[in-house]
Amino acid sequence: GAVVSQHPSRVICKSGTSVKIECRSLDFQATTMFWYRQFPKQSLMLMATSNEGSKATYEQGVEKDKFLINHASLTLSTLTVTSAHPEDSSFYICSASGTGVTNYGYTFGSGTRLTVV
Amino acid sequence: GENVEQHPSTLSVQEGDSAVIKCTYSDSASNYFPWYKQELGKGPQLIIDIRSNVGEKKDQRIAVTLNKTAKHFSLHITETQPEDSAVYFCAAIKAAGNKLTFGGGTRVLVKP
């Protein structure tokens, strides 16, 4: 089946630094990648949608200069949290959809727990 | 845009009993309805899905029903086991490549 690998699973960084999260589709071509943020005991909140080779489309209220998304290949998308602050601490999850899976296949990564100290 | 509501937010059942989670959606154009199970500290995992041209789908102890007219769909888990304890999310989508709209989630606790 379709597998999405997300790394790192946990990261702790100092306030003001940047953190990069990677999301790879291992056995299919991810034409579309979605990035979510999840606060404790809450649902997934879509941050942005990216299509391979195109600029990401950000949801209302999400700062595109703070959450940089790159989707340069059909198997890799990255989310960079720039100048991280404690309020950016959260669980970040990617999801991929594309060719090689069932028509509506949306496969999720395992998530990244970001803690900014 | 699409709006998905999910109930209940928490559900506690005795091992062996059934659990039912209900979702309603607002956009009649939505045609794919997946259900995800999320364990603590992990990403959501697809457990079952249903398309709008089907009224019911079953996979062992899990079943999903869809009522297009009423715009609601439900997840049924029979013979619950402690390992079924997790957060379950319903979702709806109109077409491949579009964004999923999630319900608020249901925290299921199966008591041994």
Side-chain angles (χ1 to χ4, degrees):
Chain A
V3 178
V4 173
S5 176
Q6 184 173 346
H7 293 280
S9 58
R10 291 177 176 270
V11 58
I12 300 173
C13 71
K14 291 185 177 181
S15 189
T17 62
S18 295
V19 173
K20 181 183 283 187
I21 302 169
E22 288 191 352
C23 186
R24 293 180 184 273
S25 57
L26 299 186
D27 49 4
F28 68 102
Q29 295 183 321
T31 51
T32 306
M33 288 273 198
F34 304 89
W35 287 93
Y36 296 85
R37 184 174 182 176
Q38 187 178 33
F39 291 105
K41 298 186 178 181
Q42 292 190 23
S43 189
L44 286 76
M45 182 189 76
L46 181 66
M47 299 174 65
T49 302
S50 72
N51 293 302
E52 184 266 336
S54 303
K55 287 186 178 180
T57 301
Y58 290 81
E59 295 297 301
Q60 191 173 7
V62 178
E63 300 176 60
K64 61 180 181 181
D65 293 332
K66 180 167 188 62
F67 299 99
L68 301 179
I69 291 172
N70 184 284
H71 191 175
S73 78
L74 285 171
T75 59
L76 175 65
S77 177
T78 61
L79 166 67
T80 301
V81 182
T82 63
S83 186
H85 291 285
E87 57 265 31
D88 298 325
S89 298
S90 192
F91 194 55
Y92 293 88
I93 311 169
C94 65
S95 174
S97 174
T99 58
V101 294
T102 57
N103 192 36
Y104 285 84
Y106 287 78
T107 305
F108 285 83
S110 55
T112 297
R113 171 75 58 195
L114 170 63
T115 303
V116 184
V117 298
Chain B
E2 175 67 280
N3 182 50
V4 178
E5 295 193 358
Q6 182 172 346
H7 299 281
S9 57
T10 59
L11 180 59
S12 182
V13 297
Q14 207 66 39
E15 181 177 1
D17 288 349
S18 295
V20 180
I21 304 170
K22 298 182 179 182
C23 289
T24 60
Y25 61 100
S26 60
D27 191 340
S28 56
S30 290
N31 57 12
Y32 174 66
F33 308 92
W35 285 88
Y36 295 91
K37 176 183 181 181
Q38 186 179 27
E39 297 178 339
L40 191 63
K42 297 183 180 179
Q45 295 295 312
L46 179 70
I47 56 172
I48 196 167
D49 56 11
I50 191 167
R51 299 181 192 275
S52 59
N53 59 348
V54 175
E56 184 174 357
K57 183 177 179 181
K58 189 174 182 180
D59 182 4
Q60 299 182 338
R61 297 187 296 108
I62 295 173
V64 57
T65 59
L66 171 65
N67 183 326
K68 281 186 60 179
T69 303
K71 289 190 284 196
H72 66 70
F73 55 113
S74 301
L75 177 71
H76 304 253
I77 306 174
T78 59
E79 301 173 22
T80 53
Q81 300 167 5
E83 52 264 38
D84 294 329
S85 296
V87 179
Y88 292 81
F89 291 98
C90 63
I93 190 169
K94 279 192 283 192
N98 285 9
K99 60 182 182 180
L100 286 166
T101 301
F102 284 92
T106 298
R107 188 171 300 274
V108 174
L109 175 63
V110 180
K111 294 182 286 186

